[in-house]
Amino acid sequence: MTVVKSPLPEPARQVTFDALQNTLVDLLGLSLVGKQAHWNIVGPRFRSIHLQLDEVVSTARSYADTVAERAAALGLPPDGRPETIASAFTLPGPKDGWLKDEEVVQVVAEALGTAIGRLRERITATAEPDPVTQDLLIGITAELEKQRWMFEAENWPRDN
């Protein structure tokens, strides 16, 4: 059953769907990484990083909604079911239990960095098939790069 007819031809449709679906998984997973760290952070920078994590979570959730709606607008059904996210999510995440503030900064910066790397690949992949989706991915990348910069600045200078 086709509810929304895609304006994209089939090869472009599949490339675009893959880029949007994989981005949706990364963003929903990133929001969970952020919340897990938010709930378990301890240390002298608890409050500032705790609040900064809320920004990452809010950004990831907002963009996840935008990405899913872009897919739906193209006739591509987004899949944000918990079992889909759990089986497809591969970004770095925090360990179980309490997390020292510097550990949180490191794991969130790594998760953001990995997501950014994947987004840059998707930007390249969608350039020809769907420049509108490419533009959306560029905007998401810019915001996640800003968040990563803010987290990396938290642990400067590193002792290692």
Side-chain angles (χ1 to χ4, degrees):
M1 168 176 78
T2 301
V3 175
V4 178
K5 183 170 172 27
S6 179
L8 301 175
E10 185 50 40
R13 185 176 180 266
Q14 189 59 51
V15 168
T16 302
F17 176 72
D18 290 346
L20 290 168
Q21 181 60 38
N22 292 331
T23 300
L24 180 62
V25 168
D26 282 353
L27 290 169
L28 290 174
L30 186 59
S31 75
L32 295 172
V33 166
K35 271 302 178 187
Q36 181 67 19
H38 174 87
W39 296 322
N40 289 287
I41 187 172
V42 294
R45 296 180 294 161
F46 164 82
R47 180 148 174 81
S48 64
I49 296 170
H50 182 82
L51 295 174
Q52 192 174 354
L53 287 163
D54 274 338
E55 291 179 31
V56 170
V57 169
S58 178
T59 296
R61 287 180 178 170
S62 176
Y63 276 124
D65 188 53
T66 302
V67 164
E69 289 177 353
R70 174 71 185 152
L74 294 174
L76 309 166
D79 187 353
R81 296 173 299 152
E83 59 270 22
T84 300
I85 305 309
S87 68
F89 182 73
T90 59
L91 292 177
K95 65 180 173 71
D96 189 23
W98 301 116
L99 303 164
K100 293 180 184 178
D101 50 10
E102 58 270 348
E103 291 175 310
V104 168
V105 169
Q106 183 175 351
V107 74
V108 172
E110 287 175 10
L112 287 165
T114 302
I116 290 163
R118 292 177 187 175
L119 276 162
R120 288 187 166 276
E121 291 171 4
R122 295 173 197 142
I123 288 167
T124 300
T126 56
E128 180 68 29
D130 187 17
V132 177
T133 293
Q134 181 195 42
D135 185 58
L136 172 61
L137 299 177
I138 289 169
I140 295 168
T141 302
E143 182 59 32
L144 293 186
E145 285 176 341
K146 182 178 93 175
Q147 292 293 334
R148 182 173 183 238
W149 157 61
M150 291 181 181
F151 272 93
E152 286 199 339
E154 285 281 349
N155 274 353
W156 187 88
R158 286 196 176 168
D159 294 330
N160 48 12

